[in-house]
Amino acid sequence: MSAPARDAYWDNCRAVLMWLVVLGHTIQLMDAGHFFANPLFKAIYLFHVPLFMWVSGYFALGSLNKDGLKVIPKRAVRLLLPIATIGSLQVALLLWQGKDSWQAVLGAYHCMWFLWSLFECFCFAAMMQLWQNRLWKAAAALLPILVSVLQPEALPYGPYLSFVWPFFLMGMYCRYKGVQTCHFNWRWLGVLPVAVVIFYCYRNHWYMYLSPLKLQWDSLGIWSFRIAAAVVSGIIFLALMRFINFRLLSQMGKGTLGIYVVQCVSFTLAAKIAICPTDVPLWLIVPASIVLFLAAYSIYCLTRSIPILGTALYGGRN
């Protein structure tokens, strides 16, 4: 199966989703101590990471069918090289500060969790594609959930797999079933009342960062609610994006990996040196996030074509 042709709709979606990532991090930085209870933060985190994983899985199926296990080294360069670069810079800083313990050195590479999780999803998906038998394929599909619950420390950000893998898998399945842009139309806005109910029912301690999946009934209930919340709110987002089509957004959507790397480094540095004001009013946070998003994109554009630097930071041309 060939990969779907480049569609500006998906690039627009990626760009807006990446801005939402920046907005979420801006809220964390400028509303320190209260961001989990921030209504805008909750609205964003209901769907933006799961939907990013869904889109990644949707476009991954073509590569997986074409390359099989060969996709793993390709994705390793693409996704893990930026982690290795940033991690090595952090190690150099730690050594300069006299912090040379193995825990500190290894912890330096424990950064940019989304890239780690995306690479892990590609590895499990490639493994799953090896099996033709449906029973074995189903077992392989369940493996990331089992690892996330039973041996979460086996992989970087292992506890997050139970939340992101289902959406990567959903994206692959939708691509396999021939789901196209036209399927995300205005009729899906009819589930908006359901999303409103979900928003008000969602509790601040239900974020995946605070409540990883465990073999307990209440944990399974929270996990199921998170999945349902992301599906409903994600469908509404995809329907709304049918009304948004800007050339600049589409261009930005092609560089989301680079924007992600730049904003991760920027927000980490800002948090460590505490240069940003806290308890900023909501009306100021949103425009601030737009400025930061545009700044991250500009930095990415300025650095991506520099020999070696562009490859080291962004895993090649983005």
Side-chain angles (χ1 to χ4, degrees), residues 78 103 142 152 205 216 223 232 253 258 261 283:
R78 186 75 168 146
Q103 293 85 349
L142 289 174
H205 62 281
Q216 300 170 356
W223 177 77
V232 172
V261 172
W283 65 267

Side-chain angles (χ1 to χ4, degrees), residues 78-283:
R78 186 75 168 146
L79 301 173
L80 299 189
L81 188 54
I83 294 174
T85 301
I86 301 303
S88 298
L89 291 174
Q90 293 188 98
V91 168
L93 180 60
L94 288 171
L95 294 177
W96 181 70
Q97 295 174 337
K99 302 175 182 178
D100 55 357
S101 68
W102 278 109
Q103 293 85 349
V105 171
L106 291 177
Y109 295 97
H110 210 250
C111 58
M112 293 188 285
W113 77 266
F114 185 83
L115 299 187
W116 272 116
S117 295
L118 186 55
F119 177 71
E120 290 162 8
C121 285
F122 265 102
C123 291
F124 282 114
M127 185 189 310
M128 187 182 71
Q129 292 298 91
L130 290 176
W131 301 103
Q132 298 301 320
N133 182 282
R134 290 186 178 182
L135 183 61
W136 282 104
K137 192 179 286 285
L142 289 174
L143 182 59
I145 306 295
L146 295 176
V147 171
S148 181
V149 175
L150 302 178
Q151 291 292 330
E153 67 282 354
L155 294 171
Y157 301 100
Y160 296 176
L161 262 180
S162 63
F163 186 58
V164 298
W165 167 252
F167 293 97
F168 192 90
L169 196 59
M170 286 181 205
M172 290 175 59
Y173 183 75
C174 288
R175 172 61 186 155
Y176 173 74
K177 285 297 185 179
V179 173
Q180 301 293 331
T181 304
C182 61
H183 291 105
F184 304 109
N185 52 53
W186 62 270
R187 293 182 179 87
W188 285 109
L189 297 178
V191 300
L192 186 58
V194 179
V196 173
V197 173
I198 287 173
F199 176 84
Y200 280 103
C201 291
Y202 200 90
R203 297 293 176 263
N204 295 340
H205 62 281
W206 287 0
Y207 294 97
M208 68 173 181
Y209 314 104
L210 303 178
S211 300
L213 178 61
K214 299 178 182 178
L215 292 179
Q216 300 170 356
W217 287 115
D218 58 340
S219 180
L220 287 170
I222 292 172
W223 177 77
S224 300
F225 189 91
R226 282 199 303 245
I227 298 292
V231 169
V232 172
S233 50
I235 286 174
I236 293 172
F237 174 86
L238 292 175
L240 289 173
M241 286 303 300
R242 289 297 301 276
F243 303 99
I244 299 176
N245 185 15
F246 300 111
R247 185 175 180 180
L248 180 59
L249 269 184
S250 178
Q251 196 65 32
M252 290 177 171
K254 299 175 183 177
T256 49
L257 188 150
I259 298 171
Y260 177 77
V261 172
V262 172
Q263 65 90 35
C264 276
V265 174
S266 302
F267 279 108
T268 300
L269 288 174
K272 286 186 176 181
I273 61 181
I275 62 172
C276 290
T278 58
D279 298 322
V280 176
L282 186 62
W283 65 267

Side-chain angles (χ1 to χ4, degrees), residues 289-312:
S289 71
I290 296 174
V291 171
L292 293 171
F293 174 74
L294 293 175
Y297 178 68
S298 299
I299 293 172
Y300 160 68
C301 289
L302 290 171
T303 55
R304 65 179 173 177
S305 59
I306 299 176
I308 301 178
L309 183 61
T311 299

